[in-house]
Amino acid sequence: MPFKNLDQLPAYTTLQELAKSPVDLTCHGAMNRERIRSYICSNDSFDLLYATQRVDDDVLDTLQQLADESKVVDQLLAMKQGEVMNRIDGYDSENRQVLHTSCRDLFAGSPMAAEATSQAERELDKLKAFLADLDARLVNSEGKPFTDMVQVGIGGSDLGPRAVYHALSAYQTPGRRVHFISNVDPDDAVSVLAGLDLSRTLVNVVSKSGTTLETLTNEEFVRAAYVKAGLDPSLHFIAVTGEGSPMDSPKYLRSFYMFDYIGGRYSATSMVGGVMLGFALGYDSFVDILRGANIVDRAAEERDIRKNVPLLLALLGIWNHNLLGCETVAVLPYSQGLIRFAAHLQQCDMESNGKSITRQGKFLSYQSGPIVWGEPGTNGQHAFYQLIHQGTTIVPCEFIGFRKSQYDDDIMIHNTSSQEKLAANLLAQSLALATGQKSENPNRYFPGNRPNSILMADRLTPRTMGELLAIYETKIAFQGFIWNINSFDQEGVQLGKKLANQLLDHLSACHLDESYSGISSDPAGWTLLQAAGIIDN
Ligand code: G6Q
């Protein structure tokens, strides 16, 4: 499929014209009933309310044209059918398929990438058997059931799964808890291990490559704690890794596979998330997450942008970023469960779309991915919302909210529940950002026209969490397709890793030979080690 650059698409020129005078949301009556009620896009559980974006029908029609001209839905279909999308033409690259959607293409009869889905099914069967064993007979050496799991992994092997675990802790199997060690900072491992009864804890080591420094170091750290406690690690340690990786070894109690066509940051619905989430929530809840994700994967095939939530979200993002010139986007969930969701999205979005070259290896002449950040509301309101309302930088906001709480345990104060207070705050922020406030007093003046949208569902459940994950994964992929970049590699993380290894080589040489000096082979690195006081001058 020939890919065009964003600025080669005729619709982009029209959008540039339209962006000179975007709709003014601060005008009296701009946020009218008809606009609010008609600018809603719904897919299954989620409604996207976007009347508070600076778009009108002309802009939306032209964004539709942009979607059609870039063949963005065809590109998604090609991805899901197994085309090699992770590549840069004519240059050495990962050169892989991108098939995270195959992990959840289990419900529609005929999967789009049959071989990948049958591999996912095989791993799911293994997981089901393992969880049944844990319920029935798999116990520790003293015959007691396992109560805790520590997931050791980093990046994609940590952020997505951890975000989902926190989001769904309300549905946790009683008596089971999960903990995470990701950072190579020894304090991370020490503080997590301190509160645990290791004899009743499983350790789930997750690394697709089986070579990641942080993960292998932390695995050894935790193994040493088991040995010190007189426990046999082979009865506690589980692996999730690529088939044939250095971690694909019989030393583990159980091993699960993930495959090279699943990118780390897109792997929460593979066994990377599955083993831990299955342990914490039960097998059926994990399947519900997959079901939710698959519903969105299928809804994303819709070509009408007004009926396709991830596509509309992607296009609104491009409108704000490339046409209105906003540098960042804040993701603001009004749900405490989503406390780690922005952290997951920071990786998923910025590692995917923080690129400067096209899929043909040419430098981009327009902006690619924005800076993504966020925190749950209403806490954020008492922190950084000042800047969002009155600062000199315009920050488009993506609010996420739910009509009902997870625990259904609430309190009425002044005739409203806490959940209603939460929802009212979300809607009020959205409106305030859009309409602003006129005032003679410049200190109390709110400029308004600050674009935002709201993703709203009934309740945060395993299924809606799966939907939310897939909405954002797909939004990110759609944006990458339109920018004509490869959203599925991460070469930008390699240089730092290489230099860290070089510095570690110096430190290790110093431990072996006190007279060692790296000044001639690596003057900058060696001097920096000295300047930072890591080695003596
Ligand atoms: C994600 C990246 C990266 C990766 C970690 C961990 O898309 O590839 O964040 O997930 O570097 O890698 P391993 O799973 O191989 O340890």
Side-chain angles (χ1 to χ4, degrees), residues 94 153-159 206-212 215 258 263-267 272 347 351 488 490 493 497:
E94 290 191 345
I154 195 164
S157 296
D158 169 58
L159 289 160
V206 184
S207 176
K208 176 175 157 182
S209 62
T211 60
T212 302
T215 301
M258 65 149 351
R265 55 193 174 273
Y266 295 92
S267 66
V272 167
Q347 181 193 27
E351 200 164 71
F488 307 109
Q490 55 285 314
V493 303
K497 277 191 205 171

Side-chain angles (χ1 to χ4, degrees), residues 132-155:
D133 275 0
L134 276 179
D135 287 340
R137 61 189 173 82
L138 189 62
V139 287
N140 74 0
S141 56
E142 294 159 353
K144 292 186 179 155
F146 292 101
T147 53
D148 291 72
M149 177 179 275
V150 175
Q151 172 137 332
V152 178
I154 195 164

Side-chain angles (χ1 to χ4, degrees), residues 228-302:
K228 196 170 163 198
L231 296 163
D232 177 357
S234 70
L235 302 178
H236 294 259
F237 279 56
I238 300 162
V240 180
T241 192
E243 207 165 355
S245 93
M247 270 176 55
D248 186 5
S249 142
K251 74 179 179 188
Y252 295 97
L253 176 68
R254 291 282 201 285
S255 284
F256 298 89
Y257 291 131
M258 65 149 351
F259 304 94
D260 70 358
Y261 50 75
I262 299 173
R265 55 193 174 273
Y266 295 92
S267 66
T269 53
S270 75
M271 284 304 116
V272 167
V275 173
M276 175 275 294
L277 293 167
F279 174 81
L281 310 172
Y283 180 78
D284 291 345
S285 290
F286 180 60
V287 172
D288 274 346
I289 296 172
L290 301 183
R291 188 173 283 113
N294 181 246
I295 285 167
V296 170
D297 291 342
R298 282 185 281 133
E301 294 173 12
E302 167 63 53

Side-chain angles (χ1 to χ4, degrees), residues 158-159 162-164 166-167 336-345 376:
D158 169 58
L159 289 160
R162 196 195 291 233
V164 176
H166 286 297
Q336 196 57 23
L338 292 175
I339 186 154
R340 294 290 298 170
F341 192 58
H344 162 60
L345 288 188

